[in-house]
Amino acid sequence: MKHVLIALSICAPFFSNFSFSQDRAYVKSMIDSLCAPRYHGRGYVENGDSKAAEFIKRQIEELGIDQPVEFQPFELGVNTFDGAMELTVNGVTLAPGADYIIDPKSAGKKGEYEAIRFKPKWANNAEKLFSMVADGKFTGKVVVFDIAEENTDYATLIGDVYKNPLKAEAYIILTDKKLTWSVSRSVVSVPIFRVTKSDATKKIKIVKLAVDQFFKSKYNAVNVMATLPGTSDTIYSTMVFTAHLDHLGRMGADTYIAGANDNASGSAMLLDLYKYYLENRPEQEVIFIWFAGEEAGLVGSKYFVENSLIELSDIQFLMNLDLMGDAAQGITAVNGKVFDEHFAKLSSLNMELGLLEVVKPRGPAANSDHHPFYEMGVPCFFVYTMGDYKHYHDINDVPANLPLTKYDEVFELMVEFMRAGI
Ligand SMILES: [Zn+2]
């Protein structure tokens, strides 16, 4: 705790000659690169995440280093879809990502099956349903659900689908909702598809599917850390910027989820911040960490706090940046309601400098990589932008759609806030 007390007594500006001519072309090129096919959506197929980690390391080395970039490897179990991803209903081939998503917990399978539409009344008569299952009514078939998702029975049923309660070959869940994908660290025994309702899905009779799935029980991922030593020998506290480099990866061999906003944007901003601090050396040490495994459940950041490469008590403040793509309506600071002095500083700096429309506080939330640090007592914010950009965990979260509205303003606010050094 000693270092924290020292940190609290430091409040002078760390450096002068400020300039904020942000290099927009640099940030855009970093986002484009991180979203390129060669990084496979920075997920768990073709080691896309680790290749992105190597890319980040190379960028830092090209910008210039005082200390070697550190890699922190760790393992996780993860369900992956690295080959075939085909779903055809009544002879119409649907497009992964656009027409359907595979449930992240899904098993793989290949074959052609008769479809059976599930009737809502069956869900309300457990005894009858049980005897239907016992009689093999669903055996060898693909069960299609088309019930309003608000329906409670349906919700219960969906929860149960993971256990394959109908002893079916696969499940198709028809939906009007946006398709939002994710990553799972576990696997079930059947394939489950969420399919957007369309003319093709009206009367499904025959389903042809081919899904290659592989559960990787010991997948190797890596956190990346870069350190810029401060110019002063007497300041022991560290400011830390973090962002997750990983995303959802591939949904089959031909489709990947690029994650331009989530979180190529934050990863690129971290590189941009590194570049900035390299040219505007603060007295205080600055550390930059790109975490892997965030989308799988904050795995990389949890591993980091348990096996920290730095003294957690030396962290004066940690700023986690995720979803930096559109600050048209400002930013939200998760933990803003916890660290109210810090939040007051963030808010007043924003007003003084006339940067963003809104800087909104939130309570604690385990929704990004700041949280494991927060649980260890590290003062931190998770800042995300708010705007009209709604592409989240889907195939449309690509660089061409990302507006980067008020990117420079967010960047400036982050630097000024850290410089204020509460
Ligand atoms: Zn994210």
Side-chain angles (χ1 to χ4, degrees), residues 244 246-247 261-264 294-295 320-323 367-369 382 392-393:
H244 72 89
D246 65 292
H247 195 51
N261 194 27
D262 187 8
N263 187 29
E294 194 266 359
E295 300 287 7
N320 180 53
L321 305 171
D322 194 352
L323 312 167
N367 53 359
S368 193
D369 288 322
F382 157 30
Y392 177 73
H393 284 211

Side-chain angles (χ1 to χ4, degrees), residues 145-403:
F145 289 112
D146 181 9
I147 315 168
E149 291 207 16
E150 301 73 48
N151 183 310
T152 337
D153 297 328
Y154 180 76
T156 314
L157 214 59
I158 298 304
D160 286 340
V161 160
Y162 289 125
K163 296 176 197 146
N164 192 5
L166 306 179
K167 307 278 178 267
E169 293 295 328
Y171 295 85
I172 286 180
I173 298 161
L174 298 178
T175 182
D176 286 325
K177 295 194 173 155
K178 178 187 148 342
L179 300 173
T180 300
W181 208 39
S182 58
V183 179
S184 175
R185 281 186 284 154
S186 61
V187 61
V188 295
S189 63
V190 278
I192 302 164
F193 301 90
R194 285 186 165 70
V195 181
T196 301
K197 287 184 193 180
S198 69
D199 285 348
T201 67
K202 267 183 188 150
K203 280 193 173 134
I204 302 179
K205 293 215 170 349
I206 294 286
V207 175
K208 201 174 155 193
L209 58 94
V211 173
D212 285 334
Q213 165 272 341
F214 186 50
F215 185 80
K216 296 174 180 169
S217 57
K218 285 191 173 176
Y219 182 81
N220 295 301
V222 65
N223 295 325
V224 182
M225 187 172 103
T227 303
L228 269 181
T231 55
S232 161
D233 295 335
T234 54
I235 301 172
Y236 299 104
S237 66
T238 296
M239 52 174 148
V240 181
F241 289 99
T242 65
H244 72 89
L245 64 89
D246 65 292
H247 195 51
L248 308 176
R250 286 207 171 269
M251 195 193 305
D254 300 329
T255 306
Y256 71 95
I257 312 291
N261 194 27
D262 187 8
N263 187 29
S265 66
S267 295
M269 192 183 269
L270 238 64
L271 284 168
D272 203 8
L273 284 161
Y274 182 88
K275 188 166 171 263
Y276 173 83
Y277 284 115
L278 198 65
E279 290 158 7
N280 300 271
R281 280 301 181 102
E283 292 184 318
Q284 191 182 20
E285 180 183 60
V286 196
I287 287 175
F288 306 82
I289 313 168
W290 290 261
F291 293 112
E294 194 266 359
E295 300 287 7
L298 317 181
V299 185
S301 50
K302 280 177 187 164
Y303 185 85
F304 188 95
V305 299
E306 284 159 16
N307 305 275
S308 188
L309 302 176
I310 53 176
E311 197 66 61
L312 293 183
S313 59
D314 285 352
I315 301 175
Q316 181 184 353
F317 201 83
L318 181 144
M319 183 66 80
N320 180 53
L321 305 171
D322 194 352
L323 312 167
M324 292 289 105
D326 181 11
Q329 286 141 39
I331 55 169
T332 296
V334 171
N335 282 348
K337 288 185 178 171
V338 183
F339 303 104
D340 34 350
E341 240 187 285
H342 292 87
F343 184 77
K345 182 51 107 186
L346 186 71
S347 183
S348 66
L349 279 169
N350 180 56
M351 299 264 258
E352 267 169 47
L353 301 165
L355 297 171
L356 301 165
E357 202 168 305
V358 179
V359 175
K360 200 175 127 190
R362 243 180 97 168
N367 53 359
S368 193
D369 288 322
H370 63 291
H371 198 71
F373 290 88
Y374 169 66
E375 286 185 315
M376 296 296 279
V378 175
C380 57
F381 285 160
F382 157 30
V383 164
Y384 61 88
T385 62
M386 300 184 293
D388 301 321
Y389 192 79
K390 296 290 179 258
H391 308 303
Y392 177 73
H393 284 211
D394 59 43
I395 52 163
N396 299 313
D397 185 11
V398 293
N401 290 337
L402 198 69

